[in-house]
Amino acid sequence: MPKPDAEKTAEAQRVEQVQQRLAAAKVTRDQRKADAEFDFWAAIAAAIGSGEVKQAEACDAIGYKREYVRRQLIEHRAQVAARAAAPSPDSTD
């Protein structure tokens, strides 16, 4: 026997709510991953920039080739500039 319309509507709403919750969880996960990646490259850039280690030594420690690290550090610097230029989400303009 087919479901009544009210039951179908309730089921559709329940599914939509779950889908929205899962989509929000994915956005949160993606942001956390991006933040962790940013923090990782910030630590690498700081260690190299301070002279604490040379780029080759940092590469040995993290297991990446120098060219990859070089490109990631360029990307990181661009992200730093973009974050600095973006308005703060806490600001009240």
Side-chain angles (χ1 to χ4, degrees):
M1 179 172 191
K3 292 182 181 180
D5 286 343
E7 195 174 316
K8 288 180 185 177
T9 301
E11 178 70 12
Q13 287 176 341
R14 184 191 65 76
V15 168
E16 185 176 336
Q17 289 173 346
V18 171
Q19 287 174 329
Q20 289 174 354
R21 191 177 73 237
L22 294 176
K26 182 179 183 296
V27 168
T28 299
R29 182 211 56 186
D30 291 346
Q31 184 59 52
R32 287 180 180 165
K33 285 172 80 174
D35 289 345
E37 189 74 6
F38 181 87
D39 293 345
F40 173 74
W41 289 109
I44 301 299
I48 294 170
S50 70
E52 192 174 6
V53 292
K54 295 178 183 168
Q55 184 177 348
E57 295 165 335
C59 293
D60 289 342
I62 61 176
Y64 293 134
K65 297 203 180 279
R66 288 183 73 188
E67 182 59 22
Y68 179 74
V69 170
R70 184 187 71 79
R71 284 183 279 140
Q72 290 304 114
L73 292 175
I74 290 169
E75 173 76 20
H76 176 73
R77 282 192 291 274
Q79 289 177 359
V80 168
R83 287 185 179 200
S88 174
D90 297 336
S91 68
T92 53
D93 291 337

